[in-house]
Amino acid sequence: MTVRVDLIDGGTVVEIRARGQATRREAGWATERARELCQRRAVTAILADCSEAERQTTPQLSAEIIENFLFAIERPVAAAYVVPRVWDDAYHAAVRSEIGDLPEHARFFTSRDTALDWLVSLQPA
C-alpha cells in the first residue's frame, strides 16, 4: 500500500492518496498526518482519494477506517472520500449502512473530479 498525504490548492486542502491494500497502521498514519496539518494550517477541506485502493476484507473494516478518520480530525472540515473503484454497489451500500449518518461536512464520491468540484463549491466566494 502506498499512502501519501500532501497539501494542495495553495495549502488549504489536505489530499490523501491511497493505492493498493491499506492496513490499519497506514490508515492511522494518514489520519494522524491529516489531523496535524488541519491543526497547524488554514486547511478548509480534505480530499481522500482512495480510487486506486483495494477493497478491505469486510465492509465493517472499511466503515471503521472511514469513521475513525472523520472523528479524529477534531473539527468540522469538509471531507470528500473517493471510494475505491473496486467497490461494487453491494459493498458500497454495506459500508454506508455500517457508518449510518455521515456528518454534514462529509460526502462519498466515485471520482476525484466530482469530489474536487464539491469541495470548491463549499469555498466562500
Side-chain angles (χ1 to χ4, degrees):
M1 171 70 167
T2 302
V3 178
R4 287 187 9 227
V5 178
D6 297 304
L7 288 170
I8 61 172
D9 197 30
T12 61
V13 176
V14 173
E15 179 182 41
I16 300 168
R17 293 193 98 166
R19 293 181 179 175
Q21 184 63 42
T23 65
R24 279 190 171 108
R25 172 180 264 180
E26 290 163 324
W29 171 83
T31 297
E32 182 59 24
R33 183 70 181 127
R35 188 180 70 76
E36 288 172 359
L37 290 170
C38 286
Q39 289 176 338
R40 294 183 195 163
R41 305 259 185 169
V43 170
T44 59
I46 299 169
L47 171 64
D49 183 353
C50 297
S51 59
E52 295 181 31
E54 294 178 18
R55 194 166 93 167
Q56 295 295 336
T57 55
T58 66
Q60 292 82 7
L61 179 55
S62 292
E64 177 186 322
I65 290 170
I66 294 165
E67 281 183 315
N68 288 346
F69 173 78
L70 290 172
F71 292 122
I73 299 304
E74 298 179 347
R75 67 180 177 100
V77 176
Y81 181 81
V82 182
V83 300
R85 289 186 193 118
V86 296
W87 283 15
D88 58 25
D89 291 340
Y91 190 91
H92 191 167
V95 170
R96 291 296 304 265
S97 176
E98 286 293 322
I99 292 174
D101 293 331
L102 281 174
E104 184 65 29
H105 60 276
R107 297 278 189 281
F108 282 99
F109 296 90
T110 56
S111 79
R112 185 176 192 278
D113 289 341
T114 56
L116 283 171
D117 288 347
W118 178 72
L119 292 173
V120 166
S121 76
L122 299 176
Q123 300 302 318

